[in-house]
Amino acid sequence: QKGGKGAGWILMPSMNGTSHEVNGASEIMPSDLPAHYRGARRGSVSAEVISRAQQESYVHKIYPKSDETAAAIRRSIGENFLFDGLSAKQLRDVIDCMFEKRVEAGENVMVQGEDGDNYYVVTSGVFEAVKNGSVVCKYDGSGAFGELALMYNCPRAATIVARTAGELWALERSTFTYMLLAERKKRAVASETWLAKIPVLDYLDSTDRARVCDALVSKDFAAGVTIFEQGEVGLWFYLVEEGEAIGVHMQDDGSTKEVAHFREGDYFGERALITDDPRALTVVAKTALKVLCLDAPGFERLLGPCKHAMQERIASYQSLSAAAAEEEDEEPSMS
């Protein structure tokens, strides 16, 4: 069993006006916001300052729905960054606060330049995002839109038009702010504090660590699940947040040997990203495992100052394959 891309990938305008795929993301990118609305860190920006007293006193409205409906909303959300790191209960709490909105073909769900009121999740129907008269992306039965106006407290960046009748689930502004942005900000602060304790990231200043924090994706693996296999192309870098994993080397005769053990604060997966070589080990979750992941482009862009230290560690176990083949008892230091 392995992790992979979730559902809900859509075509998005990029910062240079071309298109790229973003999983369950908005109708427009932050680069298209007016200059005075832009922030350096998309994930940590919120529309308004929320005091602890306000958050504790806020009461959200519940719209009961069946498990089947909740599952349809979860599928449509996919791996949207806004919901990254929420527990199953927290995610269900957010879904329970969404209310149904049915639309007809030709109806504008929201209009460019207007104030934002809701965040929307698509569960059926076809919708187009139109910016300055041009269609910039399309939603066909899944995906979500509308978060930017709420996150950045700015006007809608595009008009969303229903091309067919469809079903949306909406999260109103105050609930979005209190339940998603406040929780995301709290997790960001905790993650930045945790990252500051990892020695290899000492080469980053606080601003760079904050950027890394915004780019990290949280993933959970059950005990026994393979994170990646020896010989695969490296796509992700991993930091162990909770739990343990082991590194297993496949020898020429087909037998395997455990050669590495990763615990909280350890990292793995950097070798393939730095050297462009295939994975040297198979890594398997020994216990329930929670990791923070950085994709290859993010690794290259954000962890440059740390590469020298990582290369030194790679050099320390270049003889891993030979050592494993000889069945040496001493494990190399990989964590």
Side-chain angles (χ1 to χ4, degrees), residues 34-313:
H36 59 286
Y37 288 117
R38 295 180 193 169
R41 299 172 54 210
R42 177 182 181 186
S44 299
V45 176
S46 65
E48 52 194 291
V49 177
I50 307 168
S51 71
R52 179 175 295 181
Q54 286 176 313
Q55 189 172 355
E56 290 176 351
S57 63
Y58 174 71
V59 178
H60 50 268
K61 187 172 182 179
I62 300 296
Y63 299 87
K65 47 187 65 70
S66 67
D67 290 343
E68 181 180 359
T69 298
I73 295 172
R74 278 196 299 271
R75 286 194 298 272
S76 188
I77 289 170
E79 295 180 354
N80 188 303
F81 78 98
L82 285 169
F83 302 89
D84 175 47
L86 291 183
S87 68
K89 182 182 183 305
Q90 288 172 322
L91 178 56
R92 181 58 196 252
D93 286 345
V94 172
I95 289 174
D96 281 345
C97 291
M98 295 180 179
F99 60 91
E100 185 180 29
K101 179 179 176 64
R102 291 190 175 273
V103 297
E104 299 299 326
E107 183 176 342
N108 287 342
V109 179
M110 60 191 209
V111 177
Q112 183 177 346
E114 291 186 352
D115 291 336
D117 52 358
N118 299 316
Y119 170 70
Y120 297 97
V121 176
V122 180
T123 50
S124 71
V126 177
F127 300 82
E128 289 181 341
V130 181
K131 181 176 173 63
N132 299 328
S134 299
V135 175
V136 292
C137 71
K138 181 178 179 180
Y139 306 86
D140 190 351
S142 65
F145 53 82
E147 77 274 14
L148 290 185
L150 307 186
M151 290 178 68
Y152 292 87
N153 200 21
C154 65
R156 294 296 196 189
T159 295
I160 302 293
V161 184
R163 295 307 183 194
T164 68
E167 180 185 63
L168 300 167
W169 291 90
L171 192 65
E172 57 94 17
R173 186 185 191 112
S174 59
T175 304
F176 178 91
T177 300
Y178 283 98
M179 295 192 72
L180 282 181
L181 295 191
E183 178 62 30
R184 185 170 177 82
K185 182 171 289 187
K186 183 172 68 175
R187 294 198 312 272
V189 170
S191 294
E192 287 177 31
T193 301
W194 184 81
L195 290 177
K197 299 177 182 178
I198 299 177
V200 75
L201 300 183
D202 285 345
Y203 297 90
L204 302 178
D205 60 26
S206 58
T207 299
D208 288 336
R209 273 199 302 272
R211 290 177 179 143
V212 170
C213 182
D214 280 346
L216 290 171
V217 176
S218 178
K219 292 185 180 292
D220 294 292
F221 297 92
V225 172
T226 297
I227 289 88
F228 58 73
E229 291 186 348
Q230 183 175 332
E232 288 183 349
V233 174
L235 300 176
W236 294 89
F237 169 70
Y238 301 85
L239 292 159
V240 180
E241 189 171 14
E242 296 176 8
E244 299 179 29
I246 57 173
V248 179
H249 186 263
M250 174 73 73
Q251 300 180 87
D252 292 339
D253 63 3
S255 62
T256 60
K257 181 180 180 181
E258 181 180 327
V259 295
H261 197 154
F262 306 103
R263 300 176 177 86
E264 180 180 345
D266 288 339
Y267 62 91
F268 58 89
E270 80 286 2
R271 177 184 177 276
L273 300 185
I274 291 175
T275 65
D276 288 329
D277 292 334
R279 297 291 194 190
L281 302 174
T282 294
V283 176
V284 180
K286 183 176 181 180
T287 67
L289 182 70
K290 184 173 184 178
V291 292
L292 296 173
C293 312
L294 188 63
D295 64 15
F299 180 88
E300 183 68 27
R301 184 177 70 254
L302 299 171
L303 293 185
C306 307
K307 282 187 177 180
H308 179 70
M310 292 179 180
Q311 287 169 334
E312 289 181 348
R313 192 176 85 153

